[in-house]
Amino acid sequence: MAFDFKKEYREFYLSKDSPEIVTVPRVNYIAVRGRGDPNEEGGAYQTAIGVLYAVAYTLKMSYKTDHRIEGFYEYVVPPLEGFWWQAGVRGVDYARKDAFHWISVIRLPDFVTEQDFLWAVETASAKKKLDCSAAEFLTVEEGLCVQMMHLGPYDDEPASVARMDRYLAENGYANDLSDTRLHHEIYLSDARKTPPEKWKTVIRHPIRAL
């Protein structure tokens, strides 16, 4: 059976629908950076998603090519994730989507090296006839965080964030959002096929103890 990150690392992907504290280890990602409204039809965000999946599936299917990755095992491509921020805003202002800066990411298995990643970018670009040069090999160690499962449209996320903030205040923690520690979302639903009221999104914020 293929390795499924959501099942093997449930504490990071299948979080509770109430706030909880987690310590997130160092993780490697395929990443594409950009800015602007993610809902813009044919915009930068949608282009970035295409690049991410092109590279991700090239790596997943690498065992059917001449490129051999040491330690490779079959796996399910992890869910889409995103780090979000806006200049001059602490947290996220959902009413100003055009002001978003984002890093869209898909997790990489630990056995994928940067050299394997570069092979996948080149191969995906050639096979898919898609410029994947914007993709980068990104390592993030989030450390101490608060997270919870948000159920419903993305525009309703402020209510879940408020619950997380109250939980922190009641338990001796504070948000630690900064230029390097960012608002993080993990998308467990396919927004193209699932009604908004059933969307599942893990919301994660970096924190510090008071």
Side-chain angles (χ1 to χ4, degrees):
M1 183 177 294
F3 185 93
D4 189 333
F5 288 85
K6 297 189 300 298
K7 294 178 181 179
E8 298 296 331
Y9 300 110
R10 296 178 64 88
E11 66 271 33
F12 302 126
Y13 291 99
L14 302 177
S15 61
K16 301 175 184 176
D17 59 0
S18 57
E20 58 183 342
I21 305 297
V22 294
T23 300
V24 186
R26 185 183 181 93
V27 175
N28 296 326
Y29 296 101
I30 310 164
V32 178
R33 301 172 186 265
R35 61 181 301 176
D37 188 342
N39 297 323
E40 180 186 352
E41 192 67 31
Y45 182 78
Q46 294 186 8
T47 299
I49 302 309
V51 169
L52 287 177
Y53 279 107
V55 176
Y57 276 94
T58 297
L59 285 164
K60 172 183 169 61
M61 304 306 294
S62 64
Y63 70 96
K64 293 188 175 183
T65 73
D66 292 335
H67 184 83
R68 294 291 179 261
I69 299 178
E70 185 177 353
F72 180 92
Y73 50 77
E74 291 192 53
Y75 62 96
V76 177
V77 170
L80 178 68
E81 308 182 35
F83 296 95
W84 300 84
W85 73 99
Q86 293 159 314
V89 176
R90 187 172 181 81
V92 173
D93 180 353
Y94 293 83
R96 297 177 52 211
K97 293 184 176 65
D98 61 327
F100 274 132
H101 295 255
W102 37 263
I103 308 173
S104 292
V105 301
I106 293 177
R107 182 173 180 162
L108 288 168
D110 290 342
F111 57 72
V112 174
T113 66
E114 192 159 2
Q115 289 69 38
D116 296 320
F117 167 81
L118 293 173
W119 167 85
V121 170
E122 181 179 349
T123 302
S125 296
K127 288 190 173 181
K128 306 288 186 181
K129 294 182 170 50
L130 175 69
D131 182 3
C132 296
S133 61
E136 63 180 276
F137 186 93
L138 178 68
T139 302
V140 178
E141 186 169 356
E142 290 184 275
L144 193 66
C145 294
V146 62
Q147 68 179 26
M148 70 173 288
M149 184 74 74
H150 170 75
L151 181 64
Y154 306 133
D155 286 347
D156 292 346
E157 287 183 10
S160 293
V161 171
R163 287 183 64 191
M164 291 162 59
D165 290 345
R166 287 194 297 272
Y167 177 84
L168 295 179
E170 292 167 359
N171 289 276
Y173 295 93
N175 277 301
D176 195 30
L177 293 159
S178 68
D179 291 342
T180 56
R181 304 191 76 202
L182 302 168
H183 174 96
H184 185 179
E185 298 180 0
I186 303 173
Y187 309 106
L188 300 178
S189 304
D190 186 337
R192 300 167 300 175
K193 302 176 181 177
T194 309
E197 64 271 16
K198 294 185 177 181
W199 290 350
K200 291 182 178 180
T201 307
V202 177
I203 303 174
R204 183 181 295 158
H205 279 176
I207 62 172
R208 57 182 172 83
L210 294 175

